[in-house]
Structure formats: C-alpha cells, structure tokens
Amino acid sequence: MAARNSPFFDTATTLGKLVAFFGISALCGVLAAGLLVPVAAAAGTAASGSIEFFDELPSELERGSLATPSKILANDGSLIATVYEENRQPVALDQVSPHMVDAILAIEDDRYYEHGGVDLQGIVSALVSNATSDNQRGASTITQQYVNNVIIDTNRQNNEEVVFSGDKDYGDKLREMKLAIAVEKELSKDEILEGYFNIVPFSGTTYGVQAAARYFYNVDAKDLNIAQSALLAGVVNGTTYFSPELNPDRSLERRNLVLQRMLDTGRITQEEHDAAVATGLDLQLTPVSSNCVGAAQAPYFCDYVTRLVLNDDSFGATEEDRNKLLRRGGLTIKTTLDPEFQAAAQTAVNETANPDTTDAEIGHSMISLEPGTGKILTMAQNTRYTPELADGNSVQNFNVDSYQNGDPNKPLNGLGGFQPGSTYKPFTVAAWLDSGKTLNTTLNGSKRTYPVGTRWNASCFGGAYVSTTEWTPINYGDTNYKTTTVLDGLANSLNTITLAETRELDLCKFQEMAFAAGVHNGKGSNGETEMLEINPPSTFGGGGDASPMSMATGFATFAAEGLKCEPIALESVTGADGTEYRVPPQSCEQVMRKEVAQGVNMATQRVMTNGSGINLQVGVPTAGKTGTNDTRSQTWFMGYSTGMVTASWIGNWKANASTMSDKLIGGRIYPEIDGSLIAGPSWKNYIQRIAGQYEAKAFANPPASMVGGTTPPRTSTPPPRANTPVPPPSPPASPAAEQKPPAGDSDGGDGNGGDKEGEDGGGDGDN
C-alpha cells in the first residue's frame, strides 16, 4: 500500500524534522489535556488542526474476537488437523514467562505502568532524537500497539482497508492515541498486556506469544527463558526484518539489544545478561501445519468435514460467514473417525497401491461405516493430499459424492463415484426375496440372446421397458451356463442367473430398493439424490456411478437388517466461547424387511465360503461381494460384519473406461484385474490389522420359508406386452458376464460389447 504521508512532513528532510517536532509538540499539549479532561484534543494532518477533528475521532475501540485456530478431532480426541487463518493459542497473562514480560516492557515500553495509554515523555524524547539525529525511534506505547493490532485485525475481519505503521498519517496516529486513552479507562494494565501478548504477530501466520514460543522453541510461553524471551521481544519490532529464520545475524543483534535494555532497566543482572548473550539462537522450529494439507491423519476425511461445515447454514448465513467461523472461530470439531481403524486402512491402501509405485491414474480408496449408526470410521486414499500438481497428488476425494445431497451449491470435492459392477447384484437378490421368492429357487442359467423389442416388466416405465438393441449377456470366460439356485448364482456371480431373476421381477424394484438402502448417483447435481438408471444391464452393473460411501451405506443397510442410517461424520462442534453448534443428528430408517436383509446376508456370506471371496476369509463371520467392470477399469470389494462395513475400491480415476491391465499397481502389473485379486486382499490386509476391535457376531438366519428347498429349474419367459405407451429408453449396453473361476478366487469381466460406464447402465463382469 502506498504511503499517505505529506512530503512537507517527510522526516527524512531537516525541514520535515523541525515541522514534525514543533507540530507534534503542540499535539502533546493537547493530549496532555486529554489525559486530564474528557477527551479534549486538537490536530489535523499537521499540528494546526481543529479541536472538532479530534472530537470526531472514535473514542471506543471496536474489538472483534481474536482469530483462533479450529481443531478437528478423531473420536478419541486425537488431532486430525488444525484449521486456521492465524495460528494463535490465547493464554492468560499468568501463563506468560516473567522474563517475556520484562523483555517486552524493556524494549517496547519501559514506562508502561506509569502512563495513561500515551507516553508524552516518550513522545518528546523520540521527537528530539529523530529531529536531531539519523536514528529513528518510535514512541508508541504497548497500549497503542495493542490498539493498532486490534484495528488491523478488525479491519481484516470486516474486509476493510488495513493501514500499517509506515503508511499512517497524523490523523491515523491521533485516532490511535485517542483510542489508547479510552482503552486505558476501560481495561486494567494487566488486561491490556494480556491482550497484547495474544494479538501481536511474531512470524508469518504465527500470532501471540504462546504460538510463537511453540513455533520457535517448542516450549510453552510460561517456560521461556531470558534469551528466548529477548529474541521474541525483538522480533515484534519487525517480524520479517528481525526474523531468526530469514535474517539470523540481524535477529541475534536485535536480541542482544533487548538484553542490554533489560540490564539497563534493572530487569536482569549482569551475570544473567552475560550468560544470555553468550548463547546462540538455539531455535527448535516446530511449525503447526495448517488445514487439511498438514493433517496429522486422514486428510481426505478432514476435507470432507470442512466441506460439511461450509455447506451447513447452522454455522453461518453465508459461506463466507461459515469459512470465517471455521478458520477464526476456535471451533472444536469432534468427529466419528476411529484413528486405529484409519491407520490400519491407510496402511493397507498404501501397501496395495502406494503412489510412489503406482501409475498416477490408478486410485485406491477405503471407507468404513458402522451399521446401525452410520458413523464414518475410516476414509483412506492412496494419493497425497496436496494441491501441487504431480503424479500421486490429488485433493479430490475418491470416497464421496460430487455434491452433498445432489445440491450443486454444496460441493464435497468428491469424484462422485464409479460403476459399482457386480457389487450391485445383492440388490437384485433383495428384490427377489422381497417379492416372496426363495434363495434356493433353481433357475436356468443358459446363455441366450435378447432381441430388439424384448420387453421387461418395469412399472416405472409405464409397464414395460423395451430393448432397443440385441443383447447376449455372458458369464465370465463365456462358460458355466448352468442351472442352479439364486443363492449359488450370487456366490459365483453368474450374470445369466441374475438375468433370469430379473425376468421374473419388476425391473424398477431392485433399483428402488438399492436407492432406499442408500445407493444413489454420486454425480447427481439436480438438487436432490437420484437413483441409478433403470435398464436390464443395470441389474448387475448399477446403471451409473456410485461413490464408495454410497455403496457402503447400502451394504450397511444389509448388515443392520434393513435399517438404513445416513453417514455421519460430526459428533459435536463447540466454539471457543462455549457455543454448541447444531450438527446433523443420527438419521436411521427401516427401509427393508429384516428377513429380506437376513436373506441377502446369507447369500453374501456364501460369497466368502463358496465364491469369489473364498480366499478373503478372516476368521470371523463376514459377508462380501466383489465387483469388476467390463473394461477392467473399476474393481471393488464390499466386505462386512455385523459391526462394520467397508468399501474397498481400486480403479482408473482419470479415465473411467481405460483398463488397468497394463498399469503398475503397487509396483506390479497384475496378470488379471478383478475385485477378488486386488481390492479384496487390500480389505483383508486392513481387517487383519484390527482383529477383535470391531463387532463380528454371527449373522441372523432368514426364515426357513425364505431359504426354501431346491426347486425344479425355471425358464424365464418375457413378460406380457404392456398396453400403455413406453417412453423411449436409453439403449442398454452389452454387459460383461462373470462367474467364479474354478480356483474360486478370481473375478473379472468378460463381455461381447462392453459397458458404457454409467451412460446406459452398461454391464460388469466379475465375481
């Protein structure tokens, strides 16, 4: 900012020095009167102003709340991240070392306890010195400096002009003096000194003596010794010019000047002075990392939490207000994150797809929810959370939707999800069971072609969905077209069995059930959550992109026997002043009959004992489902117990349709890409690290009538032609097909046309 001083009063010239001397001398007389009579003073931009000018100056200091860092905490109180605009840790005066008090008073205001806010003797002494020599001395008291810093801080908060010392004119100085006098009448000397120690800047974003003591020496302000106190007192005069980091020699010289002043004013002995001068700077720099980039743990969860605060009008009427509260309001944000689980998940993710040994386009994420509460326990990701552009870096969150509840005004910084592949098949089984059918119903899984014009029961399409392209779904390896049960069909992820189920169902039913359970379009931006697309391939491909959090919510509904709980991250938010802010309450609803969820759990347990998850067992009751899309660009494993559900995803996050078959993942190229070979083992790695720390009771069995006995094979037939008009649908893609390979541990797509990655609900082919 350009200086506003008049050249006439430029103290670099002899004339300017004389004018300033006589002008301010006149002012001193006025100020002296102001100390005795209620604010009577006179001045203008020069000494010859009018008394009205001084009377019109504000006599009450507007003090906003000091900017204080907010802390985001895990569920055990451990630090996730500190979020701040200014790193400040307010302390009481009795928590400041007496050496620090002596050092500041010695160098900045030796007569602090003798004047009334403006030190006339100090002003005259400084004026004489400045007018008669080339050495420039300031005469601002501690109170004036406090006022100056409060004005700067308040103006910053209000987005108003900030005027620094070098740019002040006489009007600014008069205002500062008058306010200093007013503050001295309002606050005690100790209260002013305490305020000063908490507001004064020391370096960069480090404000206040406690933060400075921690930053420069990694000690509390109460434990500062003489030499350390002298250095910090010296830095106040010029945080850059006397910075011990940037200008160590200059800083040391300034420190020794402070020590000399402490000796001259009788605040230390000659012996103490000599011992302190003999020491070096001896810094122990301990920066406090700011915001989620410097998170101590779970940076992507940190980012998610800050987005929740910025999107919620409980924390302010506008986003600007909410951001101000978050970065200046000293909030304590307690979250649901479990630090032990998070550490285990992050380790598993890194060991599977470390960014240093993984191609940049390959992402890996892992998120865990608690069934029955919706609490987010982990949110891990294989990329480094930083805005710096480099391979392996990203600030985008792979685990969450693009927008909160589909509202484009509430961004979550998420990618919005990926095609869920065969992890979606359990919802077809849920619809099957909900319609009154049984798990042991035997269906004909023969390979067949569905010609153009094939009609599918679809109540939400006016009665029928009509295929516009010929479609021949196939199983993994184009084999295993057997007649088998619904239970075995899910365990082995047979596409033809899933399609046989769909032929007897309302095509809209399983999508509606998945949506009710929490699975939705993660990239929706219409102002509300949207269900995935409805067409035959979406039976085992999802019909769009769902985020790992969304998929985990859906499977948590199974684990909680039909009780769907919205994901929650915030336990409580408390302001620095004790204000308790409203956080979204736990929101759970029974959206699925218990016995239906129990039936699905029986089927997904069979995946672990007889299907593609057979090599992923961890010694406790678990259920799961693998998923891989047709192009081998997205792979999943959904693993869960009664107490925790985890979505493990690995895929090409930069090019959703590009295969991972030729990509480095954790330093190796996999001969086969599927959920059971990469995402699944990563989940197992995680689970084995937290053995015994989560609930894993035996799943309740569904009613025997829902399991049923083995029945003769049933051949699906097309539904009757609907009489109502059918809206033109999106043409379904040729999905991949899948089955469990003979070894029982592989899964992967294989199709005759590929999927369209959510554009038309294209297929998936995995186990």
Side-chain angles (χ1 to χ4, degrees):
M1 185 181 301
R4 300 182 301 164
N5 293 331
S6 167
F8 183 68
F9 292 97
D10 185 354
T11 55
T13 68
T14 301
L15 176 61
K17 290 176 181 177
L18 292 173
V19 171
F21 173 71
F22 289 112
I24 300 297
S25 295
L27 169 62
C28 289
V30 175
L31 285 172
L35 291 172
L36 300 174
V37 237
V39 192
T45 55
S48 58
S50 68
I51 228 170
E52 287 79 11
F53 173 81
F54 198 80
D55 284 340
E56 291 172 1
L57 291 174
S59 59
E60 184 175 343
L61 181 64
E62 179 187 348
R63 296 195 298 273
S65 58
L66 283 181
T68 306
S70 293
K71 294 185 182 299
I72 301 175
L73 308 177
N75 64 7
D76 67 345
S78 61
L79 181 68
I80 294 175
T82 303
V83 181
Y84 64 82
E85 182 179 289
E86 298 174 359
N87 179 28
R88 178 184 283 107
Q89 302 166 40
V91 291
L93 185 59
D94 61 7
Q95 294 175 296
V96 179
S97 166
H99 300 308
M100 186 68 209
V101 174
D102 286 341
I104 279 289
L105 295 182
I107 195 66
E108 293 294 331
D109 192 354
D110 183 45
R111 289 170 34 80
Y112 175 68
Y113 283 98
E114 300 172 26
H115 61 66
V118 176
D119 186 4
L120 302 182
Q121 179 178 317
I123 292 175
V124 172
S125 177
L127 285 171
V128 172
S129 174
N130 295 345
T132 59
S133 73
D134 293 330
N135 294 324
Q136 296 297 304
R137 282 181 51 189
S140 291
T141 64
I142 291 288
T143 310
Q144 287 176 259
Q145 293 180 45
Y146 169 68
V147 166
N148 180 53
N149 279 287
V150 168
I151 292 172
I152 290 173
D153 186 74
T154 302
N155 286 356
R156 280 176 172 163
Q157 290 189 53
N158 298 332
N159 295 319
E160 296 175 356
E161 180 186 17
V162 174
V163 180
F164 294 99
S165 296
D167 298 329
K168 291 179 181 178
D169 59 23
Y170 288 119
D172 293 321
K173 293 297 293 183
L174 281 173
R175 175 172 179 253
E176 183 182 289
M177 291 175 178
K178 184 176 181 181
L179 288 173
I181 295 169
V183 167
E184 290 270 355
K185 294 177 181 179
E186 177 188 354
L187 303 175
S188 70
K189 285 288 188 178
D190 284 353
E191 287 174 328
I192 296 169
L193 191 57
E194 178 179 299
Y196 173 84
F197 273 126
N198 283 314
I199 197 171
V200 67
F202 283 87
S203 174
T205 57
T206 302
Y207 288 75
V209 66
Q210 172 65 16
R214 275 288 164 197
Y215 179 76
F216 287 107
Y217 292 110
N218 197 25
V219 299
D220 289 323
K222 65 182 178 61
D223 298 321
L224 289 166
N225 62 31
I226 293 174
Q228 293 167 343
S229 298
L231 180 132
L232 294 184
V235 166
V236 166
N237 190 255
T239 58
T240 300
Y241 189 80
F242 294 119
S243 167
E245 293 178 85
L246 304 177
N247 300 297
D249 292 341
R250 196 179 291 156
S251 180
L252 190 63
E253 182 180 354
R254 175 71 177 176
R255 184 205 67 177
N256 291 342
L257 173 62
V258 176
L259 290 170
Q260 184 62 48
R261 286 288 297 156
M262 294 175 74
L263 176 63
D264 293 343
T265 57
R267 289 180 166 89
I268 57 175
T269 67
Q270 184 68 54
E271 183 179 4
E272 289 172 326
H273 168 271
D274 295 346
V277 168
T279 65
L281 292 178
D282 301 333
L283 301 176
Q284 295 184 38
L285 296 176
T286 311
V288 175
S289 297
S290 171
N291 307 321
C292 298
V293 172
Q297 57 181 322
Y300 293 94
F301 180 75
C302 169
D303 183 87
Y304 177 70
V305 167
T306 62
R307 303 281 169 174
L308 294 181
V309 172
L310 295 176
N311 290 343
D312 190 343
D313 58 14
S314 297
F315 301 102
T318 67
E319 184 174 349
E320 181 181 352
D321 293 336
R322 299 188 285 269
N323 189 57
K324 178 179 175 181
L325 176 66
L326 177 63
R327 303 190 184 283
R328 299 179 61 92
L331 301 179
T332 298
I333 304 172
K334 188 172 182 182
T335 72
T336 59
L337 189 87
D338 186 303
E340 290 189 38
F341 289 11
Q342 175 66 27
Q346 190 63 58
T347 297
V349 164
N350 288 344
E351 289 184 355
T352 300
N354 190 298
D356 294 331
T357 58
T358 299
D359 284 342
E361 57 266 49
I362 304 304
H364 183 11
S365 68
M366 196 176 287
I367 182 171
S368 297
L369 304 182
E370 183 178 69
T373 66
K375 291 181 179 180
I376 302 171
L377 303 176
T378 71
M379 189 179 287
Q381 187 164 313
N382 73 319
T383 50
R384 292 175 289 265
Y385 186 90
T386 172
E388 296 179 9
L389 298 178
D391 288 349
N393 296 349
S394 177
V395 293
Q396 288 192 286
N397 195 330
F398 299 161
N399 277 298
V400 302
D401 293 352
S402 297
Y403 305 102
Q404 187 174 347
N405 300 323
D407 186 343
N409 297 312
K410 296 182 176 182
L412 291 176
N413 203 32
L415 282 182
F418 317 92
Q419 190 188 45
S422 287
T423 57
Y424 201 72
K425 286 180 180 176
F427 295 101
T428 302
V429 173
W432 175 267
L433 297 176
D434 194 59
S435 69
K437 304 178 187 299
T438 67
L439 287 171
N440 274 327
T441 299
T442 304
L443 296 174
N444 185 342
S446 299
K447 182 178 181 179
R448 61 166 294 182
T449 296
Y450 296 89
V452 174
T454 300
R455 303 177 69 82
W456 307 74
N457 281 323
S459 58
C460 55
F461 276 89
Y465 181 101
V466 180
S467 297
T468 58
T469 61
E470 183 176 279
W471 180 38
T472 306
I474 61 177
N475 292 333
Y476 176 77
D478 201 14
T479 61
N480 210 7
Y481 298 104
K482 60 183 179 179
T483 294
T484 190
T485 64
V486 170
L487 191 61
D488 180 65
L490 183 68
N492 290 283
S493 209
L494 301 177
N495 287 339
T496 54
I497 293 297
T498 301
L499 262 294
E501 295 169 44
T502 305
R503 295 298 286 157
E504 298 189 26
L505 297 173
D506 183 334
L507 192 62
C508 306
K509 180 66 174 177
F510 69 88
Q511 293 286 44
E512 292 168 355
M513 292 195 74
F515 184 68
V519 179
H520 56 264
N521 175 15
K523 294 177 178 173
S525 58
N526 291 331
E528 59 184 7
T529 53
E530 307 166 2
M531 71 171 61
L532 299 182
E533 295 179 26
I534 297 173
N535 48 43
S538 65
T539 303
F540 45 82
D545 293 335
S547 68
M549 181 185 287
S550 173
M551 292 300 297
T553 303
F555 275 74
T557 301
F558 292 141
E561 298 189 335
L563 183 69
K564 179 265 188 98
C565 296
E566 295 291 345
I568 56 174
L570 303 179
E571 294 273 19
S572 64
V573 178
T574 307
D577 59 358
T579 300
E580 293 286 343
Y581 292 89
R582 186 193 70 83
V583 298
Q586 182 177 303
S587 176
C588 299
E589 179 185 3
Q590 193 74 28
V591 298
M592 186 183 298
R593 288 189 291 134
K594 289 183 67 172
E595 55 268 29
V596 169
Q598 291 167 352
V600 173
N601 292 337
M602 174 176 279
T604 49
Q605 287 178 84
R606 185 69 66 89
V607 171
M608 305 298 286
T609 59
N610 297 75
S612 57
I614 195 169
N615 289 336
L616 303 176
Q617 298 180 63
V618 291
V620 296
T622 53
K625 187 68 189 79
T626 53
T628 309
N629 71 340
D630 188 42
T631 60
R632 305 295 200 278
S633 64
Q634 311 297 330
T635 67
W636 298 75
F637 181 73
M638 303 296 305
Y640 65 103
S641 68
T642 56
M644 186 171 68
V645 173
T646 301
S648 175
W649 165 85
I650 298 177
N652 190 324
W653 66 279
K654 292 189 175 182
N656 282 350
S658 296
T659 182
M660 295 192 290
S661 297
D662 58 348
K663 303 298 181 184
L664 274 176
I665 304 175
R668 60 181 290 196
I669 294 178
Y670 284 79
E672 188 170 3
I673 299 293
D674 57 62
S676 68
L677 289 179
I678 315 177
S682 189
W683 169 84
K684 183 177 180 179
N685 182 350
Y686 160 52
I687 292 299
Q688 289 177 324
R689 291 177 181 277
I690 54 173
Q693 299 186 57
Y694 57 94
E695 181 186 287
K697 298 178 181 178
F699 289 94
N701 289 324
S705 59
M706 182 169 285
V707 179
T710 303
T711 59
R714 298 161 63 174
T715 302
S716 300
T717 56
R721 189 173 296 276
N723 295 322
T724 54
V726 180
S730 302
S734 298
E738 59 176 333
Q739 72 173 63
K740 179 180 72 67
D745 63 354
S746 178
D747 109 318
D750 190 6
N752 64 349
D755 68 73
K756 296 282 180 66
E757 287 298 311
E759 292 179 8
D760 58 9
D764 137 80
D766 76 309
N767 290 319

